[in-house]
Amino acid sequence: QEQLVESGGGLVQAGGSLRLSCAASGRTFSNYAMGWFRQAPGKERTFVAAISGRGGSTYYADSVKGRFTISRDNAKNTVYLQMNSLKPEDTAVYYCAARTTLYNYADMRLYDYWGQGTQVTVSS
């Protein structure tokens, strides 16, 4: 069973950057595809990015493509989300999640494990 802990959130000005981390506690981290989702106040949780178990495949929401980069370090049991050129509309709680496959990677219902979330606030 995977336990996920996000970190790296905070307050940043528009145009700035943040790097989120998600540390997993399980011993089979590379067996899991990982995703990042976000939830803005009063809105549904939405897909941001996903990465395959060995990192060879990545997927992004159109709204973050070209600005965000997902990566992972399986030796450290950690997945990252590098966020550049941040906009106020990126303000949300960001969650990482794990699942064993990447079929329908944007469907949050298919993820088995979730972290507690980290707040990202982008000021204008």
Side-chain angles (χ1 to χ4, degrees), residues 38-117:
R38 66 186 181 185
Q39 188 167 17
K43 296 187 177 181
E44 294 185 349
R45 195 171 299 188
T46 59
F47 169 74
V48 176
I51 188 168
S52 60
R54 296 189 181 274
S57 298
T58 56
Y59 306 90
Y60 297 92
D62 288 343
S63 59
V64 306
K65 205 170 291 184
R67 300 188 298 123
F68 291 10
T69 302
I70 188 171
S71 62
R72 65 190 297 159
D73 185 339
N74 287 344
K76 296 182 178 180
N77 279 16
T78 301
V79 63
Y80 305 97
L81 185 67
Q82 178 66 44
M83 305 186 295
N84 299 329
S85 302
L86 282 162
K87 304 175 181 180
E89 52 263 44
D90 294 318
T91 294
V93 177
Y94 283 71
Y95 299 89
C96 69
R99 55 181 291 189
T100 55
T101 68
L102 265 184
Y103 178 73
N104 279 358
Y105 52 82
D107 189 342
M108 61 176 287
R109 299 170 298 178
L110 300 179
Y111 285 76
D112 301 307
Y113 305 105
W114 290 84
Q116 83 289 349

